[in-house]
Amino acid sequence: MKLAARLVQQLSVSALIAFALAPTSTFAQSDSPIRILVGFSPGGSTDMIARHLALGLQRELGRPVVVDNKPGAGGQIAAQALKQAKPDGLTIFLSNSHAISMIPLTVRQPGYDPAKDFSPIALVALIPDVLVVSTRSVPSSTPSLKDFAAWAKANPGKGNVGVPAPASAPDFAVSMISAEISAQLVSVPYRGEAPLIQDLIAGQIPAGIGSIAATLPAAKEGKIRIVAINGMARSPSLPDVPTYGELGIAGYETVGFTALYAPAGTSDALVKAYAAAASKVVGSKDFSEKMTALGATAVQGAPEDVKKMMHAADASFASMVKRTGFQPQ
């Protein structure tokens, strides 16, 4: 969160003026809608952010903007599609940090190099992960991380923690949390958050890591309890939930981000036009409120700010991967 705040503060007045003056006439003369590629199925947090962004961009740019879902491989398929797209302004990509910074570290041949194949446009949002405990598994109406640790120690071999995908930040975080709380925890990868939440509610798995948007509905019903959140500060959406750092667990401070990208080779004029429109949308009260409802935080940022965020995520994720001894597959 502090990094994001610094990036926003560093966004110069001259850059904002340039964004505001960027012309929309630089877009290709075509009746085709602008496509926002999303690497996940409809209904997920990244997809919902993309749909809110698409509506705003459509208003700002005065032309149709649609979300094109290409789910699979943690966003890898959509990223590959962006690489192959023409740099004409008709195809852009809204991605979370997993596809941008984690996949290149964990997949031998991902089929793209974000630094070479993508042109950053704008930051859009920060999305922290939360650790949740099933109230059916851990015998407490208000279980804490301390309660879960005690339960896991008393029930060896049962300390499973579900994560939305293998070789993801939550996946690697499980081993870090396990070492810090001195309890035997095992990461159990799922194919997305929906089945993970279902198993948590049913008590089929005692704990899990997921987004606020995916976990909050069940938490409000008392079926699961959110016990920790990553990042440098507590989330405005969950002011009573402590960070891992507050609980004495280091190494999981980097919050996932979403940002907008164009194919490499896209003209500076197009990138500026998109950055101008995205800055207005993301900075609006309406968009901010929608992000809060999703458990995310709207964050404005220029192309250079996206690059800084990418570099920070690259370093943090590399440390997590190295710490677990994972080898690229």
Side-chain angles (χ1 to χ4, degrees), residues 27-52:
F27 287 91
Q29 297 301 312
S30 170
D31 293 332
S32 299
I34 295 168
R35 293 187 304 149
I36 300 180
L37 300 174
V38 173
F40 301 91
S41 301
S45 56
T46 304
D47 172 75
M48 293 301 293
I49 291 172
R51 293 182 186 277
H52 291 314

Side-chain angles (χ1 to χ4, degrees), residues 158-301:
K158 295 184 179 181
N160 296 324
V161 181
V163 298
S168 60
D171 187 15
F172 296 125
V174 173
S175 64
M176 296 166 54
I177 297 169
S178 178
E180 295 290 347
I181 66 174
S182 301
Q184 184 183 4
L185 304 181
V186 177
S187 177
V188 180
Y190 280 72
R191 294 176 63 87
E193 292 183 308
L196 167 57
I197 300 303
Q198 291 174 0
D199 277 2
L200 281 165
I201 292 173
Q204 297 299 314
I205 193 165
I209 297 177
S211 67
I212 296 175
T215 58
L216 193 55
K220 287 182 176 179
E221 295 176 359
K223 296 176 180 178
I224 60 176
R225 184 168 177 81
I226 301 173
V227 299
I229 188 169
N230 74 327
M232 299 295 293
R234 297 191 182 196
S235 169
S237 301
L238 298 169
D240 296 327
V241 177
T243 65
Y244 286 103
E246 290 179 84
L247 296 171
I249 300 173
Y252 199 19
E253 292 80 17
T254 297
V255 175
F257 66 88
T258 60
L260 202 59
Y261 302 85
T266 300
S267 70
D268 289 342
L270 280 171
V271 170
K272 286 182 179 179
Y274 268 126
S279 180
K280 290 181 180 178
V281 174
V282 175
S284 70
K285 180 181 178 182
D286 177 66
F287 188 82
S288 178
E289 290 176 346
K290 288 175 178 176
M291 292 304 98
T292 299
L294 290 173
T297 301
V299 180
Q300 289 174 289

